[in-house]
Amino acid sequence: MAKLSKEEVKHVAHLARLAITDEEAEKFADQLGKITDFAQTLNELDTTNVEPTSHVLPIVNVMREDVAQKGLDRNAMMLNVKEQVDGQVKVPPILED
């Protein structure tokens, strides 16, 4: 794979709204070149019998099923409330006028 030029790195940095120096652009061009070379090496592997995955470990949904359940009894809950108005919990205002 062709090495990225310093100008290409600076262009991509500009698109990402990153300010980099010429020295950093040179350093990043070298590092990105090594990364793309490694990716090219991976492309040479035979993956014909490898099943595509999104994760290296077999992960399944660990969340519980989303099932509606009956909530707290309003009258029992209101026993713990300091102030209430018309069956609603009254709280102090948090915004000033």
Side-chain angles (χ1 to χ4, degrees):
M1 185 138 212
K3 181 182 176 193
L4 293 173
S5 71
K6 187 167 65 169
E7 289 73 28
E8 289 172 317
V9 171
K10 289 187 88 165
H11 176 71
V12 171
H14 174 73
L15 293 175
R17 303 294 189 253
L18 299 173
I20 62 173
T21 64
D22 286 340
E23 293 79 23
E24 290 172 324
E26 187 66 42
K27 176 180 146 185
F28 295 147
D30 182 52
Q31 290 176 349
L32 290 169
K34 289 178 183 177
I35 292 170
T36 54
D37 288 345
F38 181 70
Q40 187 62 36
T41 303
L42 292 176
N43 285 335
E44 296 171 5
L45 296 174
D46 180 21
T47 58
T48 49
N49 294 325
V50 178
E51 189 175 327
T53 62
S54 61
H55 199 279
V56 295
L57 299 174
I59 293 181
V60 295
N61 189 356
V62 295
M63 307 298 260
R64 66 172 171 78
E65 189 175 342
D66 190 14
V67 178
Q69 297 178 352
K70 188 173 185 323
L72 295 174
D73 177 63
R74 179 183 293 265
N75 294 329
M77 189 222 18
M78 286 300 190
L79 294 174
N80 295 317
V81 173
K82 284 186 179 181
E83 294 185 59
Q84 58 177 305
V85 175
D86 298 326
Q88 302 292 318
V89 178
K90 183 177 178 184
V91 296
I94 58 170
L95 301 175
E96 296 179 18
D97 289 332

